[in-house]
Amino acid sequence: MTPNGTPAPPPLYHLQAELENAFDEIVARIEALIEIYRREGGAAWALEEATPDADWLRRILLDFWYEEGQDGRVTRSYIGLVAASQALLDEVGRVNRAKAQFSGVLERIRQEDATLIPGLKALLPARHPALNAQLRDQGLARLHLKQCWRALPTADAPLSRVRMAWYASGRSIKKLSVREAERKLMAFDTEAPHIRIQLRHLAGIPDGEPLAQVQKQAPLMRANVFFAEPLADGRSRRAMNVALPLFIPSPDGRLPDYNRPPPFPQPERTRAKRSDERLEDEPFLPSIRVYRYR
């Protein structure tokens, strides 16, 4: 107990063991899902795979790795559709619960001691010889934690059709004050010449000037799904982002009508910018992607 009477947090080694168990459960549940799909063999379609089968599904669902040079904020997408029996959907639910458990424990470790995270990225795959061999043989860098815990998308009910399209929002823009930008720069090595230059630039503008922090966003595949029958709440359709195969309830093992989007997003059309997005062409503080408004 803590001095104020609340339960003390578990020791870090307990959290590490809990994370290891959660990772093991993700792998076990995915393997169980694959066995059900291998046995039942419902229809499937994939954007970049001519003949999606159980081996394809296993490969993409167990893709937990950074590739060399991969941006840590970016995850790989595997666009597809899978006709799912109730048994398969039940297992998808178990996979997603295991992923949620893993994510929750990981967040607790981050709050207690984030310095443990890099070591865990090497430790976790070593518990599974086949996964560790893949990591070694393919020259993959390390475990990508978000690719471990991102959920498998599922449709709420049987569908009549699916319409997919790339959605490129381009970038997100967050307003920052001068003081907020300064705090972000101060988190870097303030003795580094490029940081000192940016701090001087920041000191030369009015304290009240609004700034904009820009984050480029990777294109997303957006699926508009149309339910065969309206849901209990009256909805007949739903839009959802799908970075992994969409599992669709299908008692007969067939897919609904669907389109085949291009493998890559089309070049973005030029659109008029809102007044609050009119930023200078070059970043004012490159290290934190901050721009001045024109």
Side-chain angles (χ1 to χ4, degrees):
M1 300 287 286
T2 62
N4 63 7
T6 58
L12 282 174
Y13 68 86
H14 283 173
L15 285 177
Q16 180 174 317
E18 197 174 337
L19 189 73
E20 292 170 358
N21 290 336
F23 182 75
D24 292 349
E25 181 67 6
I26 291 175
V27 174
R29 295 273 56 91
I30 288 175
E31 294 287 11
L33 183 155
I34 298 305
E35 284 310 305
I36 293 173
Y37 185 69
R38 196 183 301 278
R39 184 170 65 247
E40 296 184 343
W45 167 84
L47 183 62
E48 297 183 354
E49 182 74 25
T51 56
D53 56 12
D55 291 335
W56 160 80
L57 193 58
R58 183 180 189 276
R59 184 174 70 252
I60 65 172
L61 296 188
L62 290 175
D63 179 9
F64 297 151
W65 320 113
Y66 279 109
E67 291 181 344
E68 194 63 40
Q70 182 180 352
D71 187 331
R73 297 165 297 181
V74 175
T75 54
R76 285 186 292 284
S77 294
Y78 296 103
I79 311 303
L81 305 172
V82 177
S85 67
Q86 189 56 53
L88 189 61
L89 290 170
D90 290 344
E91 198 58 55
V92 170
R94 295 185 188 101
V95 170
N96 283 341
R97 287 192 291 275
K99 285 171 172 278
Q101 173 70 11
F102 179 86
S103 177
V105 178
L106 185 64
E107 183 57 33
R108 287 156 60 198
I109 292 175
R110 281 201 176 101
Q111 292 172 2
E112 293 291 328
D113 187 355
T115 62
L116 292 176
I117 300 297
L120 291 170
K121 291 179 181 180
L123 173 67
L124 292 174
R127 297 168 59 81
H128 297 270
L131 297 183
N132 202 38
Q134 180 187 14
L135 185 68
R136 183 180 62 251
D137 296 344
Q138 296 184 20
L140 300 170
R142 62 194 187 283
L143 202 64
H144 191 311
L145 295 173
K146 185 173 182 179
Q147 285 182 200
C148 291
W149 57 252
R150 59 179 176 172
L152 308 184
T154 59
D156 300 296
L159 305 178
S160 61
R161 65 187 190 276
V162 181
R163 293 294 178 265
M164 290 167 283
W166 288 104
Y167 174 73
S169 58
R171 58 186 183 175
S172 66
I173 299 175
K174 176 184 177 183
K175 283 191 175 182
L176 289 183
S177 68
V178 169
R179 291 293 156 244
E180 287 171 330
E182 182 182 38
R183 283 196 294 272
K184 289 180 179 292
L185 283 176
M186 294 296 288
F188 292 88
D189 177 6
T190 55
E191 295 302 312
H194 68 292
I195 297 298
R196 293 167 65 182
I197 290 170
Q198 291 173 79
L199 285 168
R200 285 201 299 271
H201 288 168
L202 193 60
I205 66 173
D207 281 350
E209 179 176 335
L211 300 170
Q213 186 174 42
V214 175
Q215 174 68 57
K216 289 185 178 179
Q217 295 183 322
L220 301 170
M221 182 63 75
R222 179 73 57 83
N224 283 291
V225 302
F226 298 81
F227 300 112
E229 300 289 342
L231 301 182
D233 60 8
R235 286 183 299 154
S236 60
R237 60 185 291 180
R238 177 187 173 191
M240 53 198 306
N241 297 332
V242 286
L244 290 170
L246 172 63
F247 289 83
I248 301 170
S250 177
D252 61 7
R254 295 189 296 179
L255 290 172
D257 182 67
Y258 61 91
N259 67 322
R260 293 169 172 79
F264 303 103
Q266 302 302 304
E268 194 174 359
R269 293 191 296 271
T270 301
R271 294 181 296 178
K273 293 183 179 179
R274 300 196 310 266
S275 60
D276 66 345
E277 292 180 350
R278 292 185 182 136
L279 307 177
E280 292 185 345
D281 293 332
E282 297 299 322
F284 180 57
L285 307 173
S287 294
I288 55 174
R289 307 180 309 281
V290 164
Y291 291 71
R292 298 179 78 180
Y293 289 91
R294 296 182 191 277

